[in-house]
Structures are given as C-alpha cells and as structure tokens.
Amino acid sequence: MEEKKELRAYKEESYPPYPTKATKFWRRNFIYQFFKFWQLNYKIMRIVVKGHT
Amino acid sequence: MARVVVLGAGISGHTSAAFLKKMLGKKHEVIVVSPSQYYQWVPSNIWVGIGKMKVDQVRFKLNKVYNRWGIIFKQAKATTIHPEGDSTTDSPFVSIEYVSEDKNGETEKVEYDYLVNATGPKLRFDLTEGLGPDNNTLSVCTFSHADHTWNELQKRIELMKQGKKQRFLIGTGHPTATCQGAAFEYALNVAFEIRKRKLSHMADITWITNEYELGDFGMGGAYVKRGGYITSTKVFTESVLSEYDITWIKRAGIKKVEPGIAHYETLDGEEKSVEFDFSMLIPAFTGQGFKAFNKQGEDITDVVFAPNGFMKVDADYSGKAFEDWSINDWPQTYQNPTYSNMYATGIAFAPPHSISKPMTSPNGTKIFPAPPRTGMPSGVIGKIVAQNIAEFIKKGATEHKHTANMGRMGAACIVSAGYSLTHGQGATMTVSPIVPDYEKYPQWGRDIEATVGEMGLAGHWIKLFLHYMFIHKAKGYPLWWLLPE
C-alpha cells in the first residue's frame, strides 16, 4: 500500500491516535483476524438475540 | 380470510411480508405494493459505487420470490390512505397507481384488514439547492445512483493517472441529513481504491458532516473499550480518517451546491464554501408524503403522519427538552395511535425526536443529524410487527406479545473500509442499546461490554458474509427464517 504524506502537527488530523506498524500488521494478520471474525460475530449475535423479544 | 397489505419492499417491508406469509399460510392474503420491481441490499451499494460489485449482485426481482411464497405483488406506488374507507366502502383501503410496464398509470383501491407502512425514506435532494445526481453531486443511496457514481469515480481516477489532482468531497448534503455511516464507508472505500492505485498524492479527500463531533453517527456517538481506555467514537472515527489521509469539516450544514463548489453554514453561523471535483453527499430524508383521508373525504394527513411525512406510531411526540428524553419515548409496537390496524416499520415510522442533541446556529439553522434507523432495527421491527399481526389474525390475540424498542435493542454496523479478502478492512461497530439509556447506564449511556469498535480484515469478511447471508434470506432460500435480522 502506498503511504501518502507525513502527519503535521497543529492540523486537526494530526491529533487522533495513528496506528503503529504493529497495529496495522495485526489488523491484517490472517490467523489473528480469523479469530477476530468469530469473536466479533459472537458479540454481534449476542446483541441480535437480545434485540428479539 | 384476512388481508394484510405491506407498502414497500425494502429491508423492513420485505422481512415483514416474508414472516406474515410464513405465519399466515394460504388461508390469508399478503399483498406487497412497491414501485420497484427489485429488492436491493442497500448496505452493499457502497461496493457498487467503487466498482467492486455489479448492480445485479445487490438486487433481485421480487416477483420470482413472491410467486414462490404466494405473496401478491403489485408494482405500484401508494398515493392515498383511507383508514375508514370512503363513501363507497366501509373497508379501509390504499389507493395505488401502477408503474409496471403492463399496467402503467392504472389505479386501484386495495382494501386491507391490516396495513404495514414500510415505505422507507424519500430522498430529498430537492431540500438542498443543487444537490443530487441530476444536479451537481453524486449519491450511493440506490443501486442506480451507486452505479452512476462508480462511472464518475472512474473518470476521476483516469484524470489522476494523467497527473491532474482531484478534490473529493464526501459526507452529508443537508444540515439535518442522517446516514453518516454510509457516507463514511464510501469515503474510506474511495480512499482505499485511490491508495491501491498509488494515486493518493493526486487526491485531496474531505469528509464533511453535520455532526457536532465526528463519530456521532446520528446516535449521539458511543463509547468503546480500546487500548486500556474507554474512549469515544470521536477518537475512533478521527483516527480512521487520519489513517486514510482524509481531512474533515464538522458542524457543517450544506445549504447549496453549485458545479464544483458546496456552500455551507457552520454551527458558529459562518457561511463558508468548499470546492470539489467529485462529490458524494447524502440528502435529507422525509416520509413519502402520502395523504390520508377519513370516510367523509376530509384530509387527516396530520392525524396519521408527522410533519416530516413519517407515520405516527406509539411514541411520545410531546416534544420534550433534550434533558428529559427517555428510552420510553421510543415506540415498542409501531402501531398507529388513531387506527389500530395500521403499523409503520423501519424508516417509515416517525421517531419521537433525534438521538443526537439538537443544535442550532446563531442564524437559526438546525445543524445536527436526524436519527438513523439502520438495517438491523428495521428488520427486527418488520419481524415483530408481522408476528403480532399474525397472532391477531390466527389466534385472536388482542395484546402485542412482541415488542422492539430502540432503547432496548442494539445494532451492529459494519463499516467497510476497503474491499479485499486479504488486504481489505472494515470497522465493526456495535452499540447496545441504539438510543442511550442513561437511567440504566448512567455513565456511558450504553452497555460498555456490548459496545465494540474494531478495525481489521475481519470486519471486511463480516460485511461480505452478511451480504451473502442477507441475500440468501431475502431470496427465501432454505432455512431463511432461521437467519436473524
């Protein structure tokens, strides 16, 4: 992926947290994300079941 | 034999019709009236807008499914509602006008025992001067809009390849527009596609929104557990936009769009403008604008509908101050208070008030998001209304056994942030309940254990999985009824 430009201070977009290389790696790590897929689906299902009376 | 008429065949109307027919069987009649011959899975229009899905992947013809189920389908638009009948009949009815090729222009009175109004929103591009695909901006609200938008995006990509820098403006196109989530998704997907083509240096992407803070999404924002902190969706949303090299303008109500320039008012009352080469802006939504008449032919539209055109249901419309809002203001059964055999589901019901705090500029312009009613609550509401009506008809029940209050039910929103099975991303966001309940959850307004905000490849897989699952369900394929809304 192409990286565009470096962040500059004193601009609004420079204040929020920016993901580190490690964070980006885990976000696309196949095995970790496979686990996340099921974990998030479980969390969604809990909400879905609760929402149906 | 009882007859139930469902107006609209979107997520809520289609769900309602499907469960009504399943529960009522052949002894009773279910009629669906919709001007479109297609069912469309709206959440995937985003992917049509970036060329990752074809139009036929997000839609299918309704008559095939309805023929199989035994539902009568009338490709027509409803024009007036007569809940007491008229001088010629005591039965309530809806006047419809056909739009199908074979009966175009023909009118008919469709009598009903129960009416489910699931007509969704009317896209009010006209409420912002110069807005919309027929004017100066684009849209992904329908599959045809999204397809057109993809054609325009391709032209911009070609220009960037030729070395011509392009300015993209994506967000809300009216001071009280809602559906920020869809526009946010589109902004992220456009940025992803541009970055994938190594053209980021040729693009300036701006997110423009009427939210007080980013991450409000029309539901007053939310709090999520992240990195050892409980943090607001403002931080989460700003972080994602920053990562995707998208700058933002917030507290902005777009009032006029001219070719290549959008004029907006800020919550501070300043009049500003922003230039663009490509713009996708979500319009304001209202109800469909039906008229209702009593038996004497008198106009009772204001009795049945709220001023915004959405149908009144069992909500508290007394107009309380923000500080006095409660989840009990929100409807539970979606029954019209005047005519007990009429219901409104999905986006068609009139919300008692917004969820976001109302904000007004010094000039008196209201700049804040209207309440969203996404696919999940729309489906749930459609289903419980069907269940209650079926029990009234079959068992003679008199009480609503099934309820769905947006202050008690949660919602999951999967925000696509790049389409790729190996390098894509999606933000998985869940909130429970949708409307904050500060009595039950005094600190955060919602169940912090059930509220999620996570970015990653899994989010893209989930969104893709949901696409196929809900198309399967909508087509009535085996065990469709087991799949949750």
Side-chain angles (χ1 to χ4, degrees):
Chain A
M1 290 291 280
E2 180 201 25
E3 290 296 334
K4 189 187 173 186
K5 44 194 167 183
E6 59 190 65
L7 290 174
R8 292 177 194 164
Y10 298 101
K11 280 189 169 180
E12 210 166 14
E13 58 270 26
S14 70
Y15 292 103
Y18 197 86
T20 61
K21 268 190 180 176
T23 302
K24 287 182 179 176
F25 170 80
W26 288 113
R27 280 183 184 175
R28 293 199 168 97
N29 179 278
F30 208 82
I31 297 165
Y32 182 66
Q33 289 299 317
F34 185 73
F35 162 75
K36 277 279 166 195
F37 175 80
W38 293 108
Q39 187 197 39
L40 291 169
N41 269 308
Y42 170 71
K43 287 195 173 187
I44 292 169
M45 278 310 293
R46 273 179 54 197
I47 286 178
V48 169
V49 169
K50 221 171 116 186
H52 290 59
T53 58
Chain B
M1 183 195 76
R3 176 188 278 179
V4 186
V5 174
V6 180
L7 303 180
I11 292 173
S12 200
H14 188 69
T15 303
S16 217
F19 278 101
L20 277 164
K21 193 63 199 173
K22 182 176 186 307
M23 289 183 279
L24 292 173
K26 289 178 183 171
K27 283 186 183 170
H28 305 283
E29 217 170 56
V30 177
I31 298 174
V32 173
V33 177
S34 172
S36 174
Q37 60 176 318
Y38 296 102
Y39 174 87
Q40 64 168 324
W41 179 241
V42 177
S44 296
N45 283 345
I46 296 298
W47 289 334
V48 176
I50 54 159
K52 290 294 172 188
M53 277 197 177
K54 299 286 178 201
V55 167
D56 282 333
Q57 285 177 275
V58 301
R59 71 176 189 183
F60 61 83
K61 285 193 174 175
L62 287 163
N63 58 0
K64 203 173 160 188
V65 178
Y66 287 165
N67 285 344
R68 180 154 40 88
W69 280 343
I71 290 173
I72 299 164
F73 177 54
K74 295 177 186 287
Q75 195 191 338
K77 58 181 180 185
T79 51
T80 54
I81 299 176
H82 303 258
E84 299 172 8
D86 63 6
S87 56
T88 60
T89 175
D90 288 334
S91 298
F93 68 89
V94 182
S95 293
I96 65 168
E97 183 182 331
Y98 282 91
V99 295
S100 55
E101 274 180 29
D102 56 336
K103 289 184 171 182
N104 193 22
E106 282 182 34
T107 58
E108 184 183 337
K109 288 179 178 178
V110 184
E111 294 184 357
Y112 62 82
D113 295 297
Y114 288 92
L115 179 72
V116 179
N117 175 19
T119 43
K122 188 169 186 177
L123 306 175
R124 297 298 304 274
F125 293 105
D126 60 305
L127 294 182
T128 306
E129 189 182 338
L131 190 78
D134 296 332
N135 291 295
N136 305 310
T137 62
L138 301 157
S139 157
V140 290
C141 294
T142 67
F143 55 77
S144 55
H145 287 173
D147 195 37
H148 171 60
T149 300
W150 166 231
N151 290 334
E152 292 301 312
L153 180 61
Q154 287 179 90
K155 291 177 194 167
R156 300 296 150 193
I157 290 171
E158 282 310 310
L159 287 171
M160 286 191 286
K161 283 180 182 170
Q162 292 165 21
K164 290 175 186 161
K165 205 161 182 172
Q166 298 294 299
R167 297 158 299 181
F168 295 80
L169 182 69
I170 299 171
T172 49
H174 185 272
T176 60
T178 186
C179 222
Q180 282 76 12
F184 182 59
E185 268 187 300
Y186 192 65
L188 298 180
N189 273 279
V190 167
F192 183 87
E193 290 301 314
I194 289 172
R195 190 180 281 193
K196 201 171 74 179
R197 292 167 171 83
K198 300 191 187 302
L199 291 168
S200 292
H201 61 290
M202 298 304 298
D204 278 327
I205 308 175
T206 304
W207 166 248
I208 190 163
T209 178
N210 54 6
E211 297 158 295
Y212 183 75
E213 292 293 356
L214 301 196
D216 183 283
F217 293 123
M219 53 173 194
Y223 293 91
V224 292
K225 271 187 178 177
R226 270 184 107 210
Y229 288 85
I230 291 173
T231 184
S232 77
T233 44
K234 163 187 156 67
V235 176
F236 179 74
T237 310
E238 288 181 350
S239 175
V240 174
L241 288 177
S242 180
E243 183 189 342
Y244 277 69
D245 288 319
I246 299 171
T247 54
W248 58 83
I249 300 167
K250 61 187 177 185
R251 303 174 194 173
I254 292 188
K255 295 164 90 176
K256 184 180 176 183
V257 186
E258 292 178 298
I261 187 163
H263 304 284
Y264 63 95
E265 181 184 337
T266 67
L267 202 52
D268 296 334
E270 287 183 84
E271 301 285 346
K272 292 186 171 179
S273 299
V274 55
E275 294 184 350
F276 63 83
D277 299 298
F278 173 102
S279 182
M280 197 297 290
L281 298 171
I282 302 285
F285 295 165
T286 66
Q288 296 293 338
F290 301 136
K291 291 275 181 194
F293 296 93
N294 64 12
K295 191 160 178 64
Q296 290 73 39
E298 293 161 343
D299 191 331
I300 53 164
T301 305
D302 60 345
V303 174
V304 177
F305 295 98
N308 57 13
F310 295 120
M311 186 180 270
K312 289 180 187 172
V313 290
D314 59 321
D316 183 344
Y317 298 110
S318 58
K320 295 175 182 172
F322 174 70
E323 292 70 25
D324 299 325
W325 288 357
S326 149
I327 61 162
N328 297 319
D329 302 341
W330 289 79
Q332 301 210 77
T333 65
Y334 303 86
Q335 184 181 40
N336 181 267
T338 311
Y339 298 101
S340 60
N341 60 346
M342 294 203 313
Y343 292 79
T345 69
I347 297 176
F349 82 82
H353 44 65
S354 65
I355 304 173
S356 301
K357 187 176 180 178
M359 304 273 180
T360 308
S361 78
N363 306 322
T365 308
K366 289 177 179 175
I367 304 176
F368 64 94
R373 277 147 289 164
T374 56
M376 194 167 154
S378 293
V380 172
I381 294 165
K383 183 177 178 181
I384 66 111
V385 165
Q387 286 172 320
N388 284 326
I389 292 174
E391 283 172 14
F392 291 160
I393 293 171
K394 283 183 81 176
K395 298 177 185 172
T398 51
E399 296 290 321
H400 292 93
K401 194 176 155 192
H402 307 274
T403 59
N405 183 318
M406 281 174 60
R408 295 196 185 87
M409 79 173 115
C413 181
I414 317 299
V415 177
S416 169
Y419 188 104
S420 165
L421 276 175
T422 52
H423 291 86
Q425 280 205 112
T428 306
M429 300 170 82
T430 64
V431 290
S432 181
I434 300 165
V435 179
D437 182 356
Y438 287 102
E439 282 178 26
K440 193 171 179 184
Y441 308 105
Q443 195 166 10
W444 311 111
R446 296 188 177 93
D447 181 359
I448 204 75
E449 299 303 325
T451 305
V452 170
E454 288 215 29
M455 278 291 280
L457 186 54
H460 173 67
W461 293 342
I462 292 171
K463 180 139 179 127
L464 199 59
F465 171 71
L466 292 179
H467 167 89
Y468 290 110
M469 186 183 95
F470 283 115
I471 293 280
H472 176 102
K473 182 183 170 86
K475 283 185 173 175
Y477 285 161
L479 303 177
W480 66 268
W481 44 275
L482 279 178
L483 299 171
E485 281 63 49

